[in-house]
């Protein structure tokens, strides 16, 4: 589902916005492209140190949306800069081999946000 262009964006730094929503209004938090780890089966793992409101939302509604981009990657119509919107289902990991791998890579985390992708769309 993830394209070569998506992986090209991940090779450049940029802001990732993570949108969750529980019972009330939407909540947005951010991280960096360089913190996203894509598994062989195309789940996205993100180190979480805070993200308390996101976790509260995910416990009520596991759907999330992410946006990310990079100015350095060629987008549509030969314009420099492109981005993606990712939809998926989220959960927080606190144990297991993927948690351990992420903890080794990002010692500051206390949980891992795992997103199982349901949609991926290039925006620009």
């Amino acid at each position: 589902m993830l394209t070569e262009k998506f992986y090209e964006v991940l090779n450049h730094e940029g802001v990732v916005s993570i949108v969750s929503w529980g019972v009330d209004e939407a909540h947005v938090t951010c991280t960096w492209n360089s913190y996203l780890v894509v598994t062989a089966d195309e789940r996205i793992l993100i180190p979480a140190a805070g993200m308390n409101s996101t976790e509260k939302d995910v416990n009520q509604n596991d759907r999330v949306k992410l946006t990310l981009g990079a100015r350095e990657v060629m987008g549509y119509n030969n314009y420099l800069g492109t981005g993606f919107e990712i939809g998926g289902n989220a959960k927080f990991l606190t144990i297991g081999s993927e948690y351990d791998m992420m903890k080794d890579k990002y010692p500051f985390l206390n949980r891992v946000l795992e997103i199982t992708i349901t949609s991926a769309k290039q925006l620009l």
Side-chain angles (χ1 to χ4, degrees):
M1 181 176 298
L2 298 176
T3 64
E4 186 177 317
K5 187 70 69 173
F6 176 85
Y7 288 101
E8 190 178 345
V9 166
L10 286 186
N11 287 327
H12 297 274
E13 197 59 273
V15 175
V16 177
S17 295
I18 304 165
V19 181
S20 61
W21 56 99
V23 175
D24 296 321
E25 65 183 347
H27 171 76
V28 181
T29 193
C30 295
T31 191
W32 301 104
N33 289 359
S34 58
Y35 286 163
L36 273 62
V37 174
V38 181
T39 64
D41 61 351
E42 293 192 334
R43 287 173 294 119
I44 297 174
L45 305 177
I46 304 171
M51 296 192 190
N52 297 314
S53 295
T54 303
E55 185 171 23
K56 182 179 174 186
D57 286 348
V58 165
N59 288 337
Q60 295 178 348
N61 171 17
D62 70 347
R63 292 177 28 220
V64 294
K65 288 190 180 276
L66 278 67
T67 59
L68 64 144
R71 294 179 68 170
E72 299 85 359
V73 178
M74 192 63 67
Y76 292 133
N77 301 318
N78 290 323
Y79 289 113
L80 195 56
T82 193
F84 286 84
E85 178 186 299
I86 305 294
N89 300 96
K91 66 180 178 181
F92 281 83
L93 308 177
T94 56
I95 59 170
S97 60
E98 290 177 334
Y99 172 85
D100 294 340
M101 176 271 298
M102 291 291 287
K103 183 71 172 174
D104 287 343
K105 190 171 180 140
Y106 305 105
F108 62 84
L109 70 77
N110 55 35
R111 294 165 343 286
V112 174
L113 176 58
E114 176 196 75
I115 299 169
T116 301
I117 300 170
T118 57
S119 64
K121 178 182 176 184
Q122 186 174 345
L123 300 175
L124 301 168

